[in-house]
Amino acid sequence: MRQEGGPDCGGDEAGKAGLEMKEYREDKSIQGRKEEIAIKVKRLQEAMERLKLDAVIINKSNNFAWITAGASNIITRYSEEGVTSIVITKEGGQYILANNIEYPRIVKEETIEELGFEIKTCYWFEDRNLDFVKEIVGEGRYGADIAFPGAENANAMIEACQYCQRRIKNVRKRRLFFVVFRRSHVTFSSVSLLKKCVYDLLLLTHEFLAFFQPV
């Protein structure tokens, strides 16, 4: 699991710990990825609760990789949309919609089942995604990051959940900046003004660039 530095995305609490930083290691194990996914699913649940949605469909390749902590749903790099979709419900249900050709690949190569997703599959010549969504959600409201029958546009909601993580990552970078200063042989008093100026500059820069960086 990636060390997030805090449960919320405000950044203020983490920012106050400027001179302290835990060692950052990316855990790519199944357990580590499951823990990371759980954090992201929780954010989506909270967002769906605010927007009165019962589920969200995630298909775009960058969003798919984000929610699965690194899995891929594309067969060509020239398409934004993937060949499999994820459905997250406001109760925390995690589903994968895949045809019978993609099913073996996502199980073996992407370890989807081990990550806690329930797979719903059909033959490649069938188009049962809408049936699957209705089976999961019933008559509830749902959003999607692509055009999908009956779905509301959920791109802004998903991006907001990703931006939350970008804020935390930026805080981590700011902590590293302070640790470098602390470990130098220059006294704090002689660089305090410089540190504050550079800190403010880095903060503005990271916050600006975050809008252009997929998580």
Side-chain angles (χ1 to χ4, degrees):
M1 174 182 175
R2 295 179 175 89
Q3 299 297 319
E4 297 288 357
D8 57 39
C9 59
D12 295 336
E13 192 68 26
K16 294 177 182 177
L19 296 181
E20 300 295 333
M21 182 181 74
K22 295 181 179 180
E23 184 177 2
Y24 172 69
R25 293 180 180 177
E26 182 177 2
D27 187 352
K28 296 183 179 180
S29 68
I30 293 297
Q31 184 57 37
R33 291 176 67 193
K34 287 177 68 174
E35 292 175 1
E36 180 177 338
I37 289 169
I39 292 173
K40 295 172 179 178
V41 168
K42 180 65 175 177
R43 293 183 196 150
L44 288 172
Q45 286 181 273
E46 293 172 350
M48 284 188 279
E49 184 67 28
R50 291 192 298 270
L51 296 175
K52 307 301 181 185
L53 292 176
D54 296 289
V56 60
I57 302 164
I58 297 175
N59 177 274
K60 289 182 179 178
S61 58
N62 61 317
N63 294 335
F64 188 97
W66 172 75
I67 190 60
T68 58
S72 173
N73 70 336
I74 57 175
I75 56 177
T76 172
R77 295 291 178 183
Y78 301 101
S79 175
E80 182 181 37
E81 297 183 10
V83 293
T84 57
S85 298
I86 284 178
V87 178
I88 303 295
T89 69
K90 69 176 182 181
E91 292 81 18
Q94 302 171 201
Y95 302 88
I96 291 280
L97 313 183
N99 62 44
N100 63 317
I101 295 178
E102 276 299 299
Y103 174 81
R105 187 193 71 80
I106 62 174
V107 170
K108 182 178 180 179
E109 297 180 14
E110 308 298 344
T111 62
I112 284 296
E113 286 184 312
E114 295 180 62
L115 293 173
F117 291 88
E118 178 181 338
I119 301 178
K120 292 187 175 292
T121 185
C122 60
Y123 288 111
W124 63 269
F125 54 83
E126 296 180 309
D127 185 5
R128 296 192 56 201
N129 282 353
L130 180 57
D131 294 335
F132 289 143
V133 170
K134 291 295 185 180
E135 179 183 321
I136 295 168
V137 184
E139 296 302 318
R141 296 176 58 209
Y142 53 91
D145 62 353
I146 59 171
F148 191 89
E152 301 179 22
N153 190 329
N155 281 286
M157 181 190 79
I158 295 171
E159 183 177 353
C161 292
Q162 294 173 344
Y163 176 70
C164 172
Q165 184 174 356
R166 295 185 189 121
R167 288 286 303 277
I168 294 172
K169 286 184 176 181
N170 290 340
V171 168
R172 187 184 302 126
K173 294 175 184 177
R174 295 197 296 270
R175 288 181 182 175
L176 177 61
F177 166 76
F178 279 119
V179 168
V180 171
F181 264 100
R182 186 181 65 177
R183 292 182 178 177
S184 67
H185 297 290
V186 185
T187 63
F188 179 82
S189 59
S190 63
V191 297
S192 58
L193 180 59
L194 175 62
K195 282 172 61 177
K196 185 180 185 306
C197 293
V198 176
Y199 170 84
D200 291 339
L201 178 61
L202 284 176
L203 175 60
L204 292 173
T205 302
H206 286 315
E207 292 295 327
F208 175 77
L209 292 178
F211 285 98
F212 304 97
Q213 298 175 354
V215 179

